[in-house]
Amino acid sequence: MSEPAGRVGTLHRLLKLNNRLMAPFSTHLSHRHNISLNEFRLLMAIGRLGASASHELAEHTGVNAMSVSRAVQTLQRHGRITVEPDPHNRRRKVLKLTAEGRRLYELMRPQTQAVADYLLSGLPDGDLEKLDELVGKLIGRLEATDEKGHSLFLERTKPDGG
């Protein structure tokens, strides 16, 4: 069966790419470490970025605020992160890895590197740079807002009558 043509076909291939990228996580990490995909994303982001606020992690990962909140609660309950007031801004709460969170991050980081190496090592540098540029443009388009801060993507893809 051939793939659909045009923009819809490209969208379907992007969705398939996303689904295929999740296979190593669900096969090798999820059950072994009792961690959900969103918890994994946040843990890995905090490990890479250092202490971060929830809204910064939502922006960095593209995970919605409610899902970030749920993942933060679970990570905290499992002793993988701490949530502390920022000493420089009392309204801001900072998420940090605990010793257990750091251990898990170091354990899972090689898997992330292996996925990146497997997927991207066959691309010539010029293609990799172009892919990174295109992905950046697509993310920018998805994150664009109007003058009131509303998502242009959600507004322009609303179903008729919605």
Side-chain angles (χ1 to χ4, degrees):
M1 185 166 132
S2 67
E3 293 286 328
R7 291 179 181 163
V8 171
T10 299
L11 174 63
H12 285 280
R13 286 188 295 282
L14 286 171
L15 293 170
K16 181 177 181 178
L17 174 65
N18 179 62
N19 291 334
R20 294 285 189 239
L21 281 171
M22 296 302 104
F25 168 78
S26 59
T27 301
H28 303 301
L29 301 176
S30 177
H31 298 297
R32 183 178 300 163
H33 301 293
N34 189 28
I35 191 167
S36 74
L37 180 57
N38 285 336
E39 292 162 29
F40 169 76
R41 286 176 173 151
L42 294 186
L43 188 88
M44 298 309 287
I46 296 168
R48 283 185 57 227
L49 302 172
S52 304
S54 290
H55 72 276
E56 295 164 348
L57 293 169
E59 176 69 27
H60 178 78
T61 62
V63 176
N64 71 54
M66 181 60 74
S67 295
V68 166
S69 178
R70 280 191 223 110
V72 165
Q73 289 173 357
T74 304
L75 287 168
Q76 190 176 18
R77 188 172 60 249
H78 290 171
R80 294 171 172 174
I81 64 169
T82 60
V83 181
E84 305 167 4
D86 184 334
H88 306 293
N89 179 351
R90 300 306 245 171
R91 296 183 320 171
R92 182 175 186 257
K93 298 224 186 300
V94 178
L95 312 178
K96 297 179 183 178
L97 295 181
T98 61
E100 171 60 14
R102 173 65 51 193
R103 182 193 72 77
L104 195 54
Y105 169 75
E106 294 297 338
L107 196 65
M108 293 188 303
R109 190 171 56 158
Q111 182 69 33
T112 304
Q113 186 65 52
V115 169
D117 290 346
Y118 180 85
L119 181 65
L120 302 171
S121 65
L123 293 179
D125 289 344
D127 287 354
L128 184 57
E129 290 168 11
K130 187 63 175 173
L131 175 62
D132 192 55
E133 179 186 333
L134 290 170
V135 169
K137 285 180 181 180
L138 292 172
I139 290 170
R141 186 136 172 94
L142 292 172
E143 293 179 344
T145 57
D146 63 17
E147 60 281 346
K148 294 180 182 176
H150 298 122
S151 168
L152 292 175
F153 174 59
L154 292 178
E155 288 300 315
R156 293 184 183 166
T157 59
K158 213 183 318 186
D160 291 339

